[in-house]
Amino acid sequence: MPWHHIADITDLAEKPVIGRECAGRWIAVYRLDDGYFATQDLCTHSFARLSNGEIVDGHIECPAHFGLFDIRTGKAAGSPVSCDLDTYPIRVVEDRIEVEIE
Ligand code: FES
């Protein structure tokens, strides 16, 4: 599967989550203490962009109805969400952040 350049490290220097369109999908890219992570950006509950939400203890809180997802695994972790997020492998090559998307 190909790797796609989705952001630079500097893009996440001041904000811990950003949303990007990449390979025809909306992806949220996160900076946590232990590295970078990527999930689908659209909430599985309804139409909301998770990259507009807040990070709370390793989870992304949806800005629409405050559902929670584990950023590292994509697991739904708080009402009203019940369907998990897609997650994507991520790597850093020099100052570039890349995600693996089919
Ligand atoms: Fe995300 Fe409802 S749209 S919790």
Side-chain angles (χ1 to χ4, degrees):
M1 287 188 284
W3 290 89
H4 301 268
H5 176 213
I6 194 165
D8 294 326
I9 287 177
T10 53
D11 297 329
L12 283 149
E14 295 184 7
K15 192 167 183 253
V17 56
I18 58 174
R20 290 287 168 87
E21 188 174 6
C22 185
R25 302 182 196 194
W26 285 100
I27 308 285
V29 183
Y30 308 87
R31 172 180 47 79
L32 299 181
D33 290 343
D34 57 340
Y36 296 91
F37 299 88
T39 71
Q40 70 183 70
D41 196 9
L42 290 180
C43 183
T44 58
H45 178 238
S46 186
F47 188 86
R49 297 275 303 273
L50 296 171
S51 56
N52 292 325
E54 298 289 328
I55 293 177
V56 181
D57 193 24
H59 294 75
I60 185 70
E61 182 182 65
C62 179
H65 309 110
F66 311 109
L68 290 170
F69 298 93
D70 186 307
I71 290 169
R72 295 174 179 85
T73 65
K75 294 285 184 194
S79 178
V81 299
S82 57
C83 295
D84 300 341
L85 299 174
D86 291 335
T87 59
Y88 300 92
I90 197 163
R91 70 182 183 185
V92 176
V93 180
E94 298 180 355
D95 65 342
R96 296 160 51 97
I97 298 172
E98 299 180 348
V99 293
E100 190 176 33
I101 300 173
E102 292 181 31

